[in-house]
Amino acid sequence: MTKRYLILQDGTTYVGEAFGSPATTFGEIVFHTAMTGYQQVITNPIYYNQIVMFTTPTIGAIGVNHMADEAITPTIKGVVVREMADISTNRLQQMSLGSYLERHNIPGISNIDTRALTRHLRQTGTQNASIVDVPDDHAFDQLNAMVLTTRQVPQVSTPKAYANPGRGANVVVIDFGLKNGILRQLSDYDANITVLPYNATLDEVTNLDPDGIVLSSGPGDPRQLPPELFKMIKAFQAEVPLFGIGLGHEIFALANGADLTPLSVDHHGMNHPIREQITGRILFANQGAGYSVDRATLVDTDLMITHVDLMDNAVQGLRHRDFPAFSVQFFPDAAPGPYEATNIFTEFMELVSARKDGKLG
């Protein structure tokens, strides 16, 4: 195996073995604690311009099959693992993970002490990193000179509207970095879905006569998005059911006067217990966030907290007190699982059906 190096912006170096593409890569490194679903993570658009390190000891054992893709083209910058499994007996496998990464020109590095790296990132916070052939001064100079775009959403949002037809209620999904799992869940209710780009106008949404609107997940800081978006959300939340997921949750909060605060340690994984406030029920769901809604800024808004992360007390869900509008920071679409939060789509679609039938007061 070819020797390669993972270098961090703070000067730390890890030596490992190459797999996937031989390209040199740069990106923001984060660690992901999910024990399953590596393909869904790698293809999730929220990881645009990021290098993902998996804490699970062995990755690749079930290969890759395209039914599990969350986007057609992955936008991840690199993969870091402890052990890479080249052989799989999974009957659904269409190719190995290494071959998949090579096809998309994404480098990977294995034989990294991921436990040590995780502890290091928990202490230092998220930082930039690079996978290189030689960890010399030139490599570090290039890493330190790297400037990543803060306008991630325009890079991953669809440039044009498209339909995902169904025979049920009209649901408009605004794409900030849409993952396929959201479309799968809505399709289970036979929703007639139209996906619009992040910069869709009020008139473009209104002309579709939506029975419900979904603000999708996506990468980056939502405060970089156009101010017209937040005005549009305030207009629609009083008229039709509105559901924000991930970045969409943060956008919903900002539109209603709340603010965000950076997490001391990013949430990437499925092992955080989340409490549903009204019932006390505990659920687990896939998470991917670097920000949380600032509790202190909710005081003078019409939003109430519906879900809380029990690990760090971060806000995980919001609901409007007067309108049929709500949001969750986590991903309830179970792609990859757990499936415990999929009932949130049921709640949304019940509101959508009520609105469609003229029963929503």
Side-chain angles (χ1 to χ4, degrees):
M1 296 290 287
T2 304
K3 184 182 291 186
R4 296 206 82 186
Y5 298 86
L6 173 69
I7 61 174
L8 307 187
Q9 196 169 17
D10 65 4
T12 309
T13 301
Y14 297 86
V15 60
E17 295 180 350
F19 68 95
S21 168
T24 295
T25 193
F26 303 89
E28 184 181 66
I29 188 166
V30 297
F31 64 88
H32 204 291
T33 60
M35 297 184 69
T36 60
Y38 58 80
Q39 183 181 342
Q40 289 93 332
V41 173
I42 289 169
T43 56
N44 189 337
I46 72 163
Y47 294 111
Y48 174 81
N49 263 358
Q50 292 188 318
I51 298 171
V52 175
M53 185 267 288
F54 291 96
T55 60
T56 300
T58 301
I59 294 294
I62 60 171
V64 168
N65 82 85
H66 293 300
M67 289 186 294
D69 284 343
E70 289 300 294
I72 295 173
T73 304
T75 57
I76 196 172
K77 283 301 188 82
V79 175
V80 180
V81 302
R82 175 69 184 91
E83 180 183 25
M84 173 64 183
D86 288 325
I87 299 174
S88 171
T89 57
N90 178 19
R91 63 183 178 84
L92 297 177
Q93 175 187 255
Q94 293 172 310
M95 68 180 71
S96 69
L97 176 57
S99 298
Y100 177 81
L101 294 179
E102 187 173 11
R103 171 181 289 184
H104 292 284
N105 198 35
I106 299 170
I109 185 168
S110 63
N111 283 355
I112 298 295
D113 187 344
T114 51
R115 294 181 67 183
L117 179 53
T118 301
R119 287 194 296 269
H120 184 72
L121 292 175
R122 285 187 65 87
Q123 292 170 355
T124 66
T126 301
Q127 56 179 300
N128 292 337
S130 181
I131 298 174
V132 298
D133 294 325
V134 180
D136 56 12
D137 290 342
H138 177 65
F140 277 100
D141 287 344
Q142 286 189 311
L143 175 59
N144 291 326
M146 177 187 64
V147 178
L148 296 173
T149 179
T150 58
R151 291 179 52 79
Q152 294 100 318
V153 168
Q155 309 302 318
V156 295
S157 175
T158 180
K160 294 183 179 180
Y162 64 90
N164 189 39
R167 299 183 183 277
N170 287 327
V171 175
V172 167
V173 178
I174 301 180
D175 178 9
F176 302 106
L178 175 66
K179 62 199 299 283
N180 290 343
I182 295 173
L183 296 181
R184 293 188 196 101
Q185 288 292 329
L186 294 173
S187 294
D188 285 346
Y189 297 90
D190 203 20
N192 184 46
I193 305 163
T194 304
V195 179
L196 297 180
Y198 78 99
N199 55 356
T201 65
L202 184 94
D203 286 344
E204 287 171 336
V205 178
T206 302
N207 289 342
L208 293 168
D209 297 320
D211 298 308
I213 296 173
V214 174
L215 309 176
S216 87
S217 53
D221 185 343
R223 289 168 292 195
Q224 301 288 334
L225 294 171
E228 294 78 16
L229 170 67
F230 304 100
K231 295 176 184 176
M232 181 176 72
I233 290 166
K234 286 209 74 171
F236 277 116
Q237 69 183 11
E239 303 295 330
V240 298
L242 186 143
F243 177 24
I245 301 171
L247 190 77
H249 159 82
E250 297 166 6
I251 292 168
F252 174 62
L254 291 169
N256 283 280
D259 202 356
L260 306 179
T261 183
L263 291 165
S264 57
V265 178
D266 287 7
H267 292 181
H268 298 285
M270 305 185 219
N271 57 346
H272 283 217
I274 300 165
R275 183 176 63 211
E276 188 177 59
Q277 296 291 79
I278 194 169
T279 64
R281 185 172 76 101
I282 306 299
L283 58 92
F284 291 85
N286 186 24
Q287 295 192 46
Y291 297 93
S292 174
V293 174
D294 187 342
R295 282 172 172 269
T297 64
L298 291 170
V299 175
D300 296 323
T301 72
D302 292 318
L303 302 178
M304 58 181 180
I305 298 172
T306 58
H307 296 79
V308 172
D309 190 307
L310 295 183
M311 297 286 282
D312 59 7
N313 210 36
V315 175
Q316 287 288 316
L318 295 169
R319 180 177 291 275
H320 201 285
R321 296 180 186 275
D322 300 320
F323 305 134
F326 63 97
S327 63
V328 291
Q329 181 75 74
F330 53 88
F331 305 138
D333 55 286
Y339 287 82
E340 299 164 33
T342 55
N343 66 296
I344 296 174
F345 280 95
T346 303
E347 182 180 353
F348 172 66
M349 290 307 298
E350 286 174 350
L351 289 171
V352 168
S353 296
R355 200 266 181 187
K356 183 175 185 291
D357 297 336
K359 298 177 182 178
L360 193 64

